[in-house]
Amino acid sequence: LAGDALAASSASPLVSQCLRDAIPAEDRRRIIQSSDDPEGRPIGFWVLNWGSAKLVNFIAMILTQEMLGYEVVRSGLGDGSTTGLYATAGCADPNHYLTPNLTTGPKCSEQPDYAHHVALEVWDYADELAFFERLKAWPRVHPRDLGSIGYRGIEGMYVFRDQLHAANADGLLLEYYKDYNASRHKPWKYFDSYSAIDPARLKFCKDTTIHLNAKTYLEVSGDTDGVMIDSAGGVHDNEIERVGRCWDDHWWLAPSCREMPQNCIPVVTAGDGWYIQESMQKAAVYRLPWALAVGRTSRDWEEIGETHRVLPYWWKPTSSFPARQPEQIIFPPYDKQERDQGILISQADRVTLGKWASANLEGKAQPVHSMLARFSIPQGDIEKMVQQTTCDNDTSCAAVACEWLQRHERIWKDWITVQCEAGMGPVDKNATFLPSNATDRSACHFCPPGCFSEAAESGDGWVCSHCPAGRSSTSSGGARFGCENCPAGYFQGPPEGQLCRKYEVHEGELCTACPGGRYSFETGSTDCLRCPEGKVSEYSRGSSACIACPDWHVPDVGATTCHLRYVRPGNYVLILYWLVFFRILVAFWKNIVIAFGLRRPFGRRLIVQQISFEERIDGDGVFVQFLAAHSLKSDLPITVYFQETQTKLDNQQKGHKIQFIGKTSMVLLNADGTRVRKSIESSQGVVVVPFLAALRLSWKFKGSVRLPWVLFGMLLVAVAAASCATPGILEPLEEHQLDDAKIVELLLAVSGLLSFLTAVVMHLLSQLRVFNPAQEPQLFKFRRDFSDRLRESRPTPAPCQRGAGRAVQLGELFELWRHFQPFIKDRSMLYVVSNIVRSITRPWQLSYAEVVGPSQTMWFVSHTWTSPFRAFVQGLKKHAQAVSRSGELVVPFMEMTFWVCSFSINQWSVEEEVVSDNIYESSFYKCLHSGSCHGTVLVLDTSATPLRRSWCLFEVLQTMKRIKDHQDEKFSGLWLCTESGTLNSGEASVEMAMTLGNVIADLSVKNASASFAEDKMMIDNAIQDMEGGFESMDAYLRGHLSQALNFMRNDFDEKFGKVLDKLDSFPTDSKVLDKVGSFPAEPKVSDTFFGFSDESVVKVNV
């Protein structure tokens, strides 16, 4: 006996020999699973870890190695029936199937290296639906259900005989569930306290089925205290997943004894938590004072039951607890309707026990697969066997299994004998058909064409035999009792060899068709005849006669077809006429196809080079430039449709009025015919001119092909038709009995169809830019080049958590601006996002920061999307330089990182990241309140537009709160930034500072606006909730600007004074002064410089 050595990678025989005529160990073979494993491997039996399962596995393994000649191995021990499903699915570690991740828990794979091939006595309650749902993406690895194992099982909660008698003496019937009701009885005095059981002998709850989804339990019991949210954060049916709650990491306590745990009766099960979910429901519904736990091993479960007064989970057939004589606790009768809904409070029914095999077993070891499909142990036999051994060791288990095999040879002989049904015959492992007396039968295959099925002489089913010469069968398994004569035109030669083989015939045909140039004129032919001189076979195959060639024709070498002796010159005239007409038709159809467009909305599609608002001498407006000339002419406005421009023009059902200007542009009009005067910017998209309008405006075809040319082409055809009447031109066709009218109709129909298809293909190729690949907007090439550079530096971008970890470096923003500067010009952030950022990030559906490589945030940026992108980038550069000079951050200014919503938020899932229903979970809030953020940079334009937008004010409000609430020395607060410099450091231009000062002095945050009314209401409420409300916010902004202007004034005074001192340091010639006169009195630097006096500077303490 090999014992536990069976778990090793090399297989050993189970016993020296159990059965007579056993195949010697050295002659047993392995299965070859792939070319990478030439040595092969034994067939792996995944053995479920209880006595009856071990016994049937030993029976199957002995038959597999001794009778079928395969090496076997016990590939592992399973804690529960569900592990058998995962094992035969190719998972390497089935006992960890409860782990949510398939690849790291049970270690499953779409291309498994099968180590486990068979699992026997899999209880039918195993969660097959959940198993197949988890592996639905990998249908090729789904194991095969081989049916029932022959006997059935029964399971439930049991009570030991000694405790039963003790309770009976006091008038309690512990075999009946109602006498456990804690509100009426005190059943716990007949059991030990659960605290008396050593926790080291129990599994942790997280490793058992207590930790499964408790949704059904919660619906049945309403016991919210008995469950908890899954720490792994799982989601089931769009709800947060809840699992059973445990006390002391090992015990689930029923509601009826949680307040007095000392009254909880210990209920102990085994495996991965067999029967746990059912016990939880019953304990909650029937007020049973139970504490549920799972033994660490099967041995621990048995020893706890033998040494403690507990309620054990038990089943039949089994040999556990023979001395304590368990009695099953009776619950309400089995209710199938309830159980189909997952309500498990009724008595369990008898359970079907199944057999499962891996998906590759039938192809690799068909005899074993066939044997297991017939494998069936009677109920009485298995119950007797489990009484003979507990299978604590493999020696006794194998001995009982061997004894059963020796006594019941009649039963298992039928399992391993291949007997085929009518229409089929036995084959060996190479799929070669076998004669009646063969013993190495491997499987049954349908008899192929050319063979028929007859009863085997040995009486073991049916075999396939050859049809005699001149006779055959039509299809696989079709001729069960005989063959038919070959029809005329077909033949069948004598069979080759003694074994049935497949003939090369077509499905549905009887016999083999005579090839071209040959024929057979009678049925039952064994060969075909060659066609006589001057004749060809009637058909390309299967001819029953040969026919003579017409005049001017001769047979080819193989006598299959007739061809002309020579071609008459008149035919070339017709071919020339036809080519001219065909060219005209192609031009005609091509213009119609171009006008139609082949895509909805149907029409002529013009590629956009750019859309922009321009000030021109002939009038301002929104002008659209096309990539190529369109050749459409119209003096009146027409309606067109815009697509893929990433602007508000897209996909409007009513379309837009336009006026063509030349051949490469047009201007956008309002409904009343006036020009649109709004800022609309784009460098991509198409303009669709509706089909009828495009057809009307393009009746002058490309190449100056006008409608008269079509009429001229029809005239040529008429001339060609008249020429056909000339003798000799169409004489070959006339010999095929086609008159002139039929020939002309045929040419017109073919010409029309072929010209239309040619025009469609040419248009499609032009759409794919096969003819002119360079015909695309220049922005596309710039985007492609930029994306290629990003892929080289970061080929596989990965997503990261939203918030402070998604900043971009200043250098990366400058790189984007420099590359696309020819297109961005003075356009806004809105243009950059819609035309550049979304296109670059489309392949990965990530934020721009994640694509170029995210960084930790140093500065949070507040801005508007309507300001020029150029000014935005320059403003950040001025800020970074100012911070770098101040020494606040010892980082090169181009490496400073900024959190900018346009680049840090995933533009493909904006709603998810903004989280409008809970603004404090948004990316804005998370970043601004992160520990790495040093302050807020408010990028201003001359109109202080950000301070008129509610979202920017919300960010300023959060900046104020962080300064007030956290007193964070590292957080430097609000920086006012412009393209000419930062106001905080006094580096902005005087004109910009004065303009902003006047704007902010008259500004009130109460008048700020937002794109959505609910956003403004939410932000206004947040501002009003702070102390001082809108007035405090106004004062904070004005005070912040006042401080900035003070910095600028002091800095300007200092620099101005240094210049004056330098000028005064030069000696002055008195003679010169006499000539030009004295200087005026030295001007006094006013205390009201920049328009503010010291007294007027607002001092605000927020």
Side-chain angles (χ1 to χ4, degrees):
L1 184 75
D4 286 333
L6 286 175
S9 60
S10 61
S12 303
L14 300 175
V15 291
S16 57
Q17 180 175 326
C18 172
L19 305 172
R20 57 188 174 87
D21 300 327
I23 298 174
E26 60 273 13
D27 294 338
R28 296 168 190 167
R29 59 186 183 273
R30 295 183 168 200
I31 58 176
I32 307 299
Q33 299 199 136
S34 67
S35 57
D36 298 332
D37 183 23
E39 296 295 325
R41 63 180 56 190
I43 296 176
F45 281 75
W46 178 261
V47 181
L48 301 177
N49 196 14
W50 53 85
S52 56
K54 292 179 181 178
L55 280 167
V56 293
N57 273 280
F58 270 107
I59 292 173
M61 287 191 285
I62 292 172
L63 288 176
T64 301
Q65 66 179 14
E66 294 193 10
M67 291 290 100
L68 301 179
Y70 287 88
E71 292 185 9
V72 299
V73 66
R74 184 177 64 193
S75 54
L77 289 173
D79 287 342
S81 284
T82 307
T83 65
L85 300 177
Y86 285 87
T88 50
C91 304
D93 193 2
N95 282 324
H96 287 86
Y97 76 92
L98 289 173
T99 305
N101 191 309
L102 272 175
T103 56
T104 60
K107 299 180 180 177
C108 302
S109 170
E110 187 176 5
Q111 296 180 337
D113 182 19
Y114 287 100
H116 321 295
H117 303 91
V118 182
L120 302 179
E121 203 187 285
V122 176
W123 287 56
D124 190 44
Y125 67 76
D127 198 352
E128 295 175 21
L129 292 178
F131 164 76
F132 285 110
E133 177 66 22
R134 290 185 74 184
L135 272 72
K136 67 180 179 182
W138 304 338
R140 289 195 314 108
V141 306
H142 288 181
R144 306 298 188 254
D145 184 358
L146 301 184
S148 170
I149 203 166
Y151 55 89
R152 303 182 72 184
I154 187 169
E155 62 175 348
M157 283 301 165
Y158 284 72
V159 59
F160 291 128
R161 184 67 62 86
D162 54 345
Q163 295 159 257
L164 191 64
H165 288 169
N168 286 346
D170 295 337
L172 278 183
L173 302 176
L174 293 185
E175 68 269 42
Y176 188 51
Y177 77 97
K178 285 190 175 181
D179 279 15
Y180 289 88
N181 191 315
S183 61
R184 301 177 182 177
H185 308 288
K186 299 178 180 180
W188 49 81
K189 65 181 182 178
Y190 305 102
F191 299 90
D192 293 340
S193 171
Y194 76 86
S195 60
I197 298 174
D198 184 3
R201 309 192 74 167
L202 301 174
K203 284 186 176 181
F204 288 102
C205 283
K206 63 183 180 62
D207 299 325
T208 71
T209 53
I210 295 175
H211 208 65
L212 288 180
N213 185 0
K215 179 182 178 182
T216 305
Y217 169 78
L218 199 56
E219 292 173 351
V220 171
S221 66
D223 176 25
T224 56
D225 292 335
V227 298
M228 64 180 183
I229 295 176
D230 185 4
S231 59
V235 175
H236 184 78
D237 291 341
N238 297 323
E239 297 181 3
I240 298 176
E241 187 167 298
R242 287 174 169 79
V243 297
R245 181 193 303 275
C246 276
W247 283 258
D248 302 327
D249 293 331
H250 299 89
W251 295 92
W252 179 86
L253 303 185
S256 58
C257 67
R258 282 187 199 140
E259 295 183 0
M260 301 182 68
Q262 68 274 14
N263 292 341
C264 288
I265 298 173
V267 177
V268 184
T269 182
D272 52 8
W274 305 332
Y275 210 70
I276 281 286
Q277 291 291 321
E278 186 160 333
S279 299
M280 290 170 62
Q281 289 190 27
K282 288 177 176 175
V285 172
Y286 299 129
R287 296 188 52 79
L288 311 179
W290 287 359
L292 307 180
V294 182
R296 189 174 60 87
T297 64
S298 295
R299 188 62 210 150
D300 287 322
W301 165 72
E302 289 187 5
E303 290 183 358
I304 291 172
E306 291 169 354
T307 59
H308 291 78
R309 296 188 303 165
V310 298
L311 285 178
Y313 163 80
W314 203 62
W315 72 95
K316 292 180 181 179
T318 185
S319 57
S320 303
F321 312 125
R324 302 203 64 181
Q325 300 178 311
E327 292 285 342
Q328 188 173 15
I329 299 175
I330 300 172
F331 285 90
Y334 173 76
D335 188 327
K336 183 179 185 304
Q337 184 176 1
E338 281 188 349
R339 286 187 167 264
D340 288 344
Q341 300 174 21
I343 303 173
L344 309 176
I345 60 176
S346 63
Q347 191 79 17
D349 194 14
R350 283 184 173 271
V351 180
T352 299
L353 309 183
K355 304 167 296 187
W356 291 82
S358 62
N360 72 335
L361 182 64
E362 184 174 12
K364 301 297 181 182
Q366 203 280 339
V368 179
H369 187 276
S370 178
M371 182 271 290
L372 292 172
R374 297 186 181 97
F375 188 95
S376 180
I377 304 292
Q379 185 85 36
D381 288 2
I382 192 65
E383 290 180 356
K384 289 179 182 178
M385 283 190 281
V386 296
Q387 297 305 318
Q388 297 174 26
T389 178
T390 60
C391 280
D392 288 337
N393 61 79
D394 292 332
T395 304
S396 64
C397 206
V400 172
C402 180
E403 179 185 354
W404 185 89
L405 286 168
Q406 292 170 348
R407 294 174 56 192
H408 297 85
E409 182 174 343
R410 180 182 56 81
I411 295 178
W412 57 260
K413 272 290 186 180
D414 290 338
W415 302 346
I416 63 174
T417 301
V418 176
Q419 295 186 359
C420 300
E421 300 175 355
M424 305 181 74
V427 295
D428 62 13
K429 61 181 180 181
N430 297 319
T432 301
F433 283 94
L434 300 173
S436 175
N437 58 352
T439 58
D440 56 339
R441 300 182 177 190
S442 176
C444 294
H445 285 186
F446 284 106
C447 297
C451 296
F452 72 102
S453 180
E454 62 179 354
E457 295 177 0
S458 62
D460 294 331
W462 295 68
V463 295
C464 293
S465 300
H466 274 299
C467 289
R471 297 170 66 84
S472 187
S473 56
T474 55
S475 59
S476 297
R480 298 193 173 189
F481 307 107
C483 303
E484 303 175 44
N485 282 334
C486 297
Y490 291 79
F491 78 100
Q492 193 65 50
E496 299 178 6
Q498 298 299 316
L499 300 179
C500 182
R501 66 177 181 84
K502 183 177 181 181
Y503 283 82
E504 295 299 327
V505 298
H506 289 71
E507 185 70 20
E509 294 183 355
L510 189 64
C511 307
T512 303
C514 291
R518 291 179 174 269
Y519 73 103
S520 66
F521 62 89
E522 60 182 359
T523 62
S525 297
T526 60
D527 200 359
C528 297
L529 304 175
R530 184 173 179 82
C531 288
E533 184 74 23
K535 292 186 177 184
V536 295
S537 56
E538 187 177 10
Y539 307 108
S540 61
R541 54 189 306 275
S543 297
S544 60
C546 294
I547 57 176
C549 288
D551 295 340
W552 305 101
H553 292 74
V554 292
D556 62 2
V557 176
T560 57
T561 59
C562 300
H563 63 81
L564 291 170
R565 289 180 178 176
Y566 59 89
V567 179
R568 295 178 179 271
N571 294 336
Y572 291 112
V573 177
L574 181 62
I575 293 173
L576 179 61
Y577 280 130
W578 182 81
L579 288 176
V580 174
F581 177 62
F582 183 76
R583 172 65 182 88
I584 295 172
L585 281 180
V586 169
F588 176 78
W589 284 119
K590 184 177 178 183
N591 282 274
I592 291 181
V593 170
I594 291 175
F596 193 67
L598 301 183
R599 282 194 291 173
R600 298 190 66 180
F602 298 122
R604 179 80 177 269
R605 309 179 77 81
L606 306 176
I607 301 176
V608 172
Q609 176 75 6
Q610 76 168 5
I611 303 173
S612 61
F613 177 80
E614 300 179 16
E615 297 178 355
R616 294 187 179 182
I617 297 176
D618 59 346
D620 304 344
V622 176
F623 293 88
V624 180
Q625 301 291 330
F626 298 116
L627 189 64
H630 49 67
S631 72
L632 300 177
K633 292 185 176 181
S634 175
D635 297 329
L636 299 175
I638 65 170
T639 299
V640 299
Y641 300 90
F642 289 83
Q643 290 183 338
E644 303 170 11
T645 65
Q646 300 296 321
T647 67
K648 295 181 179 180
L649 299 175
D650 287 348
N651 301 322
Q652 293 198 13
Q653 295 182 352
K654 294 183 179 180
H656 299 274
K657 281 190 175 182
I658 59 97
Q659 177 84 47
F660 283 116
I661 302 177
K663 295 183 178 181
T664 59
S665 65
M666 67 183 188
V667 64
L668 201 60
L669 303 178
N670 292 309
D672 58 2
T674 60
R675 292 187 176 185
V676 174
R677 288 176 171 79
K678 295 180 181 179
S679 178
I680 302 177
E681 305 285 343
S682 182
S683 300
Q684 59 187 354
V686 293
V687 174
V688 182
V689 182
F691 169 61
L692 293 178
L695 194 61
R696 174 172 54 83
L697 299 178
S698 63
W699 198 244
K700 180 179 179 180
F701 297 142
K702 188 175 182 181
S704 298
V705 179
R706 296 179 179 273
L707 184 61
W709 278 93
V710 178
L711 300 177
F712 177 69
M714 295 176 68
L715 179 62
L716 284 178
V717 174
V719 173
S723 301
C724 292
T726 304
I729 293 181
L730 293 178
E731 185 175 326
L733 292 177
E734 290 173 352
E735 292 176 353
H736 285 274
Q737 299 179 352
L738 291 177
D739 58 23
D740 295 344
K742 292 290 185 182
I743 293 172
V744 173
E745 291 175 5
L746 178 64
L747 286 175
L748 288 175
V750 171
S751 300
L753 178 61
L754 289 180
S755 61
F756 174 72
L757 293 177
T758 303
V760 171
V761 171
M762 292 176 66
H763 179 64
L764 290 175
L765 291 176
S766 67
Q767 292 294 303
L768 297 173
R769 301 186 180 91
V770 174
F771 296 141
N772 186 9
Q775 192 178 6
E776 64 177 5
Q778 194 175 12
L779 175 63
F780 287 25
K781 181 179 183 302
F782 272 66
R783 288 195 309 224
R784 190 163 53 248
D785 293 343
F786 192 79
S787 297
D788 291 343
R789 285 163 50 192
L790 289 180
R791 284 191 178 92
E792 290 177 3
S793 60
R794 189 174 170 82
T796 54
C800 62
Q801 292 292 331
R802 66 174 186 263
R806 279 203 207 155
V808 291
Q809 293 186 2
L810 179 61
E812 293 168 342
L813 295 179
F814 259 85
E815 183 67 22
L816 179 72
W817 176 59
R818 288 194 191 98
H819 187 85
F820 292 100
Q821 192 173 4
F823 304 96
I824 296 177
K825 300 177 183 177
D826 282 329
R827 288 169 166 159
S828 66
M829 180 72 78
L830 186 63
Y831 172 87
V832 172
V833 172
S834 61
N835 285 263
I836 299 174
V837 172
R838 283 178 60 86
S839 296
I840 291 174
T841 59
R842 179 179 285 108
W844 300 281
Q845 302 285 298
L846 300 173
S847 67
Y848 183 82
E850 292 168 308
V851 171
V852 301
S855 303
Q856 198 65 26
T857 299
M858 295 181 182
W859 301 96
F860 179 89
V861 180
S862 181
H863 68 104
T864 64
W865 284 34
T866 56
S867 301
F869 183 72
R870 169 192 53 75
F872 172 80
V873 175
Q874 290 294 340
L876 293 186
K877 178 182 176 183
K878 294 292 185 181
H879 166 76
Q881 290 174 334
V883 172
S884 182
R885 285 193 296 270
S886 69
E888 181 175 341
L889 289 175
V890 186
V891 178
F893 73 91
M894 276 295 182
E895 295 181 10
M896 287 192 186
T897 61
F898 296 86
W899 193 95
V900 184
C901 62
S902 314
F903 304 103
S904 302
I905 285 181
N906 187 344
Q907 298 300 323
W908 302 97
S909 56
V910 175
E911 293 184 3
E912 179 182 344
E913 300 218 0
V914 173
V915 194
S916 59
D917 56 340
N918 185 0
I919 199 169
Y920 300 105
E921 291 295 325
S922 67
S923 299
F924 300 90
Y925 188 87
K926 288 178 177 289
C927 176
L928 191 54
H929 287 268
S930 66
S932 64
C933 182
H934 288 262
T936 300
V937 179
L938 183 60
V939 182
L940 298 169
D941 54 16
T942 55
S943 301
T945 306
L947 299 181
R948 304 176 190 273
R949 301 294 295 171
S950 295
W951 272 107
C952 293
L953 293 176
F954 175 79
E955 292 158 359
V956 172
L957 173 63
Q958 296 305 315
T959 303
M960 294 170 56
K961 285 187 175 182
R962 180 164 179 182
I963 294 173
K964 181 178 180 181
D965 297 343
H966 299 289
Q967 301 297 324
D968 190 348
E969 296 180 358
K970 185 176 70 173
F971 190 76
S972 57
L974 184 66
W975 286 68
L976 302 178
C977 177
T978 69
E979 64 175 313
S980 62
T982 57
L983 273 66
N984 301 56
S985 57
E987 296 177 356
S989 68
V990 174
E991 292 81 5
M992 176 66 79
M994 293 294 293
T995 301
L996 287 174
N998 289 324
V999 170
I1000 295 177
D1002 298 329
L1003 188 70
S1004 173
V1005 299
K1006 184 184 299 184
N1007 300 324
S1009 63
S1011 300
F1012 300 99
E1014 56 269 23
D1015 289 352
K1016 174 172 173 56
M1017 182 180 299
M1018 175 190 64
I1019 295 169
D1020 285 351
N1021 291 338
I1023 295 175
Q1024 288 179 327
D1025 288 343
M1026 77 175 193
E1027 185 177 352
F1030 290 113
E1031 292 77 11
S1032 178
M1033 176 69 86
D1034 290 339
Y1036 174 77
L1037 293 173
R1038 295 187 182 114
H1040 213 74
L1041 183 63
S1042 297
Q1043 292 175 357
L1045 293 178
N1046 268 322
F1047 290 145
M1048 290 188 64
R1049 184 183 67 177
N1050 294 337
D1051 183 68
F1052 186 84
D1053 286 348
E1054 181 180 349
K1055 292 178 181 178
F1056 197 78
K1058 288 181 180 179
V1059 173
L1060 290 177
D1061 291 343
K1062 188 174 182 180
L1063 291 173
D1064 292 342
S1065 64
F1066 291 100
T1068 304
D1069 191 341
S1070 60
K1071 295 179 179 180
V1072 175
L1073 291 177
D1074 291 338
K1075 294 180 179 180
V1076 301
S1078 60
F1079 290 117
E1082 178 181 352
K1084 180 180 179 182
V1085 179
S1086 173
D1087 288 340
T1088 61
F1089 198 65
F1090 298 149
F1092 292 93
S1093 64
D1094 286 341
E1095 291 78 9
S1096 66
V1097 175
V1098 181
K1099 307 293 185 180
V1100 180
N1101 183 16
V1102 180

